[in-house]
Amino acid sequence: MRTMSDARLASARALLAARNLDALVISNANSRRYLTGYTAEDHPPDESAGVAIVTHDRAVLITSKNNVEWAKEEAPGWDILGQRYPPLTSA
């Protein structure tokens, strides 16, 4: 069964082909949710719930290691990568 996210991913890939692009990088929370179905929210000014990357043959959602299971549930068909962000240090 084809999901709404599958149709949206197909549209994103059609855009890649039409504009002769190699990839799309989606960092906006609303756009990421629309495309992937992943509902985690960003916490401005410095916390992002993730970034989606679409190529012609791969769809990757990069999120915090804490949110990997959540992302897998809400974004089936996407490769989910858990990223551990380094702590901020002051000089």
Side-chain angles (χ1 to χ4, degrees):
M1 184 169 99
R2 194 170 151 112
T3 66
M4 190 175 296
S5 181
D6 292 337
R8 291 174 179 170
L9 184 55
S11 293
R13 287 190 168 131
L15 179 67
L16 286 174
R19 299 212 177 154
N20 197 29
L21 299 171
D22 294 324
L24 291 174
V25 177
I26 300 95
S27 60
N28 177 275
N30 293 325
S31 298
R32 183 185 60 238
R33 182 175 27 258
Y34 177 83
L35 186 60
T36 68
Y38 177 53
T39 61
E41 295 183 16
D42 293 349
H43 298 279
D46 62 352
E47 292 184 31
S48 171
V51 174
I53 301 172
V54 178
T55 68
H56 296 281
D57 59 357
R58 192 166 182 203
V60 179
L61 178 59
I62 303 168
T63 189
S64 163
K65 284 189 174 191
N66 298 336
N67 295 334
V68 167
E69 291 306 314
W70 180 5
K72 285 179 179 180
E73 286 180 25
E74 293 189 340
W78 285 73
D79 294 332
I80 309 298
L81 298 178
Q83 175 65 42
R84 182 178 177 154
Y85 299 101
L88 296 175
T89 59
S90 58

